[in-house]
Structures are given as structure tokens and as C-alpha cells.
Amino acid sequence: MASSPIKLKGYEFFQKTLKSPRFVVAPMVEQSELAWRLLSRRHNASLCYTPMFHARLFSEAQNTRYRKEQWTTNDEDRPVVVQFCANDPDILLAAAKLVEDDCDAVDLNLGCPQGIARKGHYGSFLQDEWELIEKMVKTLDTHLKVPVTVKIRVFPTVEKTVEYAKMIEAAGAQMLTVHGRLREQKGHITGLADWDKIKAVKDAVKIPVLANGNILYYDDIQRCIEHTGVDGVMSAEGNLYNPALFNPKYKDLPPLSWEIAKEYLEICKDVDARGQCIKAHLFKIFHASLPIHTDLRQELAKCHEWQNYWDFCMNMKERLIKDQEQGTELDGKENEKGIRQYSHWRCQVTCSCFFFFDFQTQLGSHFPRFDFFFLALHPPQQAANPQAGEEAQGRRCCQGRPAQETKGRRPRSALCGGRCIIFKTPQHIDTEKSKNKTTNCIIDKTEKKVRRGCGQKWLAF
């Protein structure tokens, strides 16, 4: 009887199985699907994670549709790590057993900060339940054929973050990804990731560590590695806007967006990708172009079949080639917000939620207190008045026109399609007040509804 292969651990697993990856594509729900992973690999990604799968849904015997839609792979898709969210060790193990023969590791998601994770009691909302986390990691480490890895967020203090990481390492995790943001840092209050906390974790544990956060450009990769000492760097948003982020060929000038979209669609046709994923990716790839070619934005919104997406891409290609011939190539010079400005026909991050964030933790309270000013940037060619987003003029868009509110959450300029938002917390925060309590905004003194808990926000239009 042949013996089972020995399960590698720690750096032996990292080097021999994962091939010492430095450029890693993050797990992203409905975004890091097979076609996107293959595209990223073509542009120098050395390790890819699947989207986060829900362990209970994935393990249900009757739920074959969920598994078929969510989990696909092929011979080109290696090394690959499958990520699950869960709050029950047995359910997590049952789900992981279904993929252990087709992946290189199984990752436990302890970083998802979204409301659905709070409601489902998983992700970063397990952050304070160390006994449960320890049991889940130990269960996978004991019973799986492949190693278990874990992705976490940091705590407000370095000491607790390090203690947390060491507990997970002792439970049996063979690699750790540290997202250097707090659970509360999400959406419009994302802020900068704390590389110092990532460095502290790296210095404290003996297993490989990946850093996640603040990776927008190729230069950021080496800066992060030098600052933190990590073994590799993971990117999520940066990869979505520019899947060639890890490709040194494009370190000075990003690729043409229509070329990337065309390459992605060709892969999608080969692997029969779902239209929902395709649409989301094309909106990101053409993020800088769609506010200009608004008719094509409407065309993309109506697409459902692969041929529709292909026709849209060819129409956009024709427009952008003409724009490039008639326009001026921007060289990536940083604006006052730290965002590199490229021409709209290139893949790029065109908005930032990182650079006006002053995070303060109110000790003794379950929720942190935020006091910050946030401005989401417009594509460079749209910013006719770059000073118009400052606090004194925060109620108008970059063109000087009043911003319009959509669905009560995200004000947009009807003229330019950009976002000009000012957020402030109230001068007094009482998280014990009822959910529908109103109080005065500190900017325009009008009453706004507030939500109980972290991140009460007033929008000044």
C-alpha cells in the first residue's frame, strides 16, 4: 500500500509547492475567478487565490450549482489557494475536503469586513473569538491533505496584532497574509494600510508572511517588501484596475485598457466565464474611459452574452485608438493627492480613498472614532478645476456644478461622472443612541439620519 505524500509545512511548503511567490492576486468575491486568475498569471502573478467561498453553501450536497459556478480550475491555474469563510470547524472541513485534490492550500478568511460578513458571522467578525479560530485552523491542519493558510486584518495595537498572529501560527497555519487595515477600515473610510504592523507580525512569526494593502503601482511592491520584510505582496484593488500590475514591462506606463480587455475576453471564451464576472471586470478596466464615452457605458450595462461584451470592447477600442491619436499621452506624474495621472485609454487607478485619513482609536469603546476628510478623485482629463474639491468647496463637483445624490449614498456629478464627497463625523458620537436618531451635521448643520456603530457619516453636498 502506497503511503500518502508528506504534507509540507512553513517555508518548505512556500518554496517547493508555491514556488516562493512574490506577486499574489488576492481572493475577491466574484472577481478572482478562473479567467481573471489566468489573465493575471500571464502578467507575472506567481500565486492566485480563488474568490471567497461560503463553506456551508459549498459543502451542501444538494448545492451542486453553487460549487459549479464558483469553483473552476485547470492545469494552467497553479499554484492556487482556495479560500473559505466559515464559523464551524466541521462545515469548514467538509467544504475543504471537496477541493483538496485540486488546489495547493486552503485559506481561512478572517479579513472580510463587509456587512454580509457581520450578518453571517464570519470573516473579520470572528476576530475576537480566538478559541473558535484556533479550532478551525487546527481541524484543517490535522485532517486536510494540503496546508492551511489564513488571511487576517490587524488590531488597533501592534501587541494584540502580533499575539493574534502567533496564536494562528501555533494552531497550524503554514502561511499568513496580513491585511494592514482594521476591520472598520472599508469603503469610503478605507484609509492607508499599516505596514508597521505587518512588519511586526513578520518579525514575530516563523512562517511565510504576505503583505496586503497600499499596492497600487509596480514600485509599491518593492517598497512594501523593503519596509516590512515580507515574503510576498498581495494586491486586490490594484490588480482589478490593472491586471498587469505585477508585469515589469508596464512599470512605467500601464497597458492600453482595450488590449487587456480583449485578452481577458479571449480567455473568458475559452473557459466559459460567467457574464456577471465579465461585466464587473470590464467596468474596472475601462474605469477611466467610461465617464468620457458615456453611451458605451450604457451599452456595457446592457451586455449579457460573451458576444455582447466582445462587440462593446471592439467599439471602445475604436474610440480609444482615435482618442490616443488625437490626444496627449500623460506620463504618470503624481497629482497633489498622490495618484499617478495617465491618459484615459490606459489601465489605472483613478480614485483614491487613502490620502486624507486620520485614524484615531477611542480606547474603551467597541467602535473606533473617525475624523477625516475624503475626496474621491476624478480621471485627470476631467478635473478642470483641481482645487474645487477642497473642504471650503466640498459641496460642488470638480466642474463647479452641484453634485447629485444617487440612492442616498454616493453623490455623483451628472456632468463629469466623478465623485466629490466630503465626509465628517459629528463632534459628539454616542453609539448607544437609537438606530434612527438624528443630529446636526458639523458642516451644514442640517439633520441627517445616522447609523449606530462605527463610521457614522455626514455627507455634505
Side-chain angles (χ1 to χ4, degrees), residues 351-369:
C351 65
S352 173
C353 50
F354 303 130
F355 299 99
F356 296 92
F357 189 83
D358 180 19
F359 189 85
Q360 294 178 321
T361 301
Q362 187 177 2
L363 298 178
S365 172
H366 179 67
F367 298 104
R369 176 175 179 174

Side-chain angles (χ1 to χ4, degrees), residues 146-161:
V146 295
V148 55
T149 67
V150 180
K151 187 171 187 286
I152 65 172
R153 284 194 172 223
V154 299
F155 283 90
T157 67
V158 172
E159 293 77 13
K160 191 167 184 180
T161 301

Side-chain angles (χ1 to χ4, degrees), residues 229-250:
V230 293
D231 302 283
V233 168
M234 175 183 284
S235 176
E237 287 292 319
N239 168 263
L240 288 179
Y241 287 98
N242 178 15
L245 172 67
F246 295 135
N247 192 338
K249 175 182 176 182
Y250 298 111

